[in-house]
Amino acid sequence: MSRSYNEEIGFIEKIDSVRYKIKKGFVPNMNVDGLIYVNDSIKDLVFEELEQYSTRGSAGGFLPAVKQIANVASLPGIVGHSLGMPDIHSGYGFSIGNVAAFDTEDPMSVVSPGGVGFDINCGVRLLRTNLTEKDINPIKEQLCQSLFDHIPVGVGSKGVIPMNAKSLDAALELGIDWSLGEGYAWVEDKEHCEEYGRMLNADPTKVSDRAKKRGLPQLGTLGAGNHYLEVQVVDEIFNKTAASKMGIDQVGQVCVMIHSGSRGMGHQVATDSLTLMEKAMARDHIHLNDKQLACSRINSQEGQDYLSGMAAAANFAWVNRQSMTFLARQAFAKAFNSAPDDLDMHVIYDVSHNIAKFEEHMVDGRPKKLLVHRKGATRAFPPHHPLIPVDYQFTGQPVLIGGTMGTCSYVLTGTELGMKETFGSTCHGAGRSISRNKSRNNLSYEGVLDSLQSKGISIRIASPKLIMEEAPESYKDVVQVIETCHKAGISQKTVKLRPIAVIKG
């Protein structure tokens, strides 16, 4: 029997100003409680999402994203909480902004492609420069056009990086090490990537021919949707020590942010695995609240094959962002008639926000190996963690949070509290507040373009409809998302970045 909105709200308990518990019983068979981070300014966009997303997601009824958090809490082997970040909104199976960890010692524990998403290792990379906004302004339009010309964008775009079937397999296996061997990366780039730009469990043979065929022509392409390349300037520095370690030392300094993923290849890897897992669940007697949570035991053949294929797609995504880094450096070098090294175009960091990885965390007072799913959520490890670069050992891992087109982005750092409470995770962006369809119907191309131009933002975009879909009005207020994470103590504000040029699909 379906429950009313008021009955469902009864299972939500406010813990403090930025934390809400989703108590067991909200949906059947919950093994743990849910925990959502959200402040008063944006909580209605989470708890009243029905109005905005009545046709999205599979949870149905009231509170679709919250129900997805609860459904994930019913999966076998989950530990801690099913976590929802403040940019949460409903997605496929897992909500976008959901973090969940599974105990690898429990033979019933599962891996779920819905907990990673279709764009495997969609992530963000940030480069610094020694340029300032004053250096850019006289040639901003030319630079914007040069970046648009150098980097293929949009649905079906094809890359300019030479690639054949043999080199594709090598890229899938080696990740950024392939880019290094081909001359598209600097050694320092690898040091400043999550996982050092390569997941070692990648197996190209677990990626279907169809997935490879989709990925082959797309290396070094931005894609469409919410992917972008932005030229940004430092707008505010909150932590001078941490910023200095990243090579950011003044307001007005120019940075470049790249947001993209594994393109059609990652989508196909996810699709292939979901089909196989749906068949395997009956064999393994796995019963779910939501069929979109299709999963397999971690140690099953299907589970292991997915993890190996996902890792290969993740490596492809790192090679993809590295290839665009190479092309962006070329565009800047051409615009300023100077070598990229002379422009100090070093990678600050590269983070993933759609991935599942084996990590060690404390559970009930003892270290455990967990499979942590982060979907629309960013790893945020604290100071002194062995898996972050030497540069950041005293400040914590840089956490890159992309804003919406025309709004600010942020660099955060990881904290010890976040490590304990969220498995070292935080938000990944603003998070949609209205659907793409509603955005197209409610906004005008000219209106959004005029708004961007009034802010001094140059833009190049492949599809006019995309400018409505990705307008700031379609998203939550990224400032409030960041403030929620900062106040909760799961990550700390370090730098605020303002866009001055945007390249989109």
Side-chain angles (χ1 to χ4, degrees), residues 17 54 66 68 77 95 110 115 157 187 232 275 288 358 366-367 414 441 483:
S17 61
S54 56
V66 178
Q68 289 184 321
S95 62
V110 297
S157 54
V187 173
Q232 304 171 337
T275 302
L288 305 172
F358 292 104
R366 71 183 187 94
N441 292 336
E483 290 297 335

Side-chain angles (χ1 to χ4, degrees), residues 191-255:
E191 298 299 316
H192 293 91
C193 285
E194 184 175 338
E195 295 295 309
Y196 300 103
R198 177 186 180 185
M199 292 188 77
L200 298 176
N201 61 318
D203 184 349
T205 69
K206 303 302 181 183
V207 177
S208 69
D209 289 341
R210 185 175 182 185
K212 291 177 181 178
K213 185 177 180 180
R214 291 183 67 178
L216 185 61
Q218 293 183 329
L219 190 67
T221 63
L222 196 60
N226 61 348
H227 295 155
Y228 59 75
L229 181 147
E230 284 188 359
V231 181
Q232 304 171 337
V233 296
V234 175
D235 197 56
E236 195 170 353
I237 298 175
F238 305 103
N239 184 328
K240 289 185 178 180
T241 301
S244 177
K245 289 290 184 183
M246 300 173 197
I248 294 175
D249 52 22
Q250 63 174 316
V251 171
Q253 184 175 342
V254 170
C255 295

Side-chain angles (χ1 to χ4, degrees), residues 398-420:
V399 181
L400 311 176
I401 309 298
T404 60
M405 185 175 62
T407 65
C408 289
S409 297
Y410 286 81
V411 183
L412 313 177
T413 47
T415 66
E416 284 291 349
L417 179 60
M419 196 67 180
K420 294 174 184 175

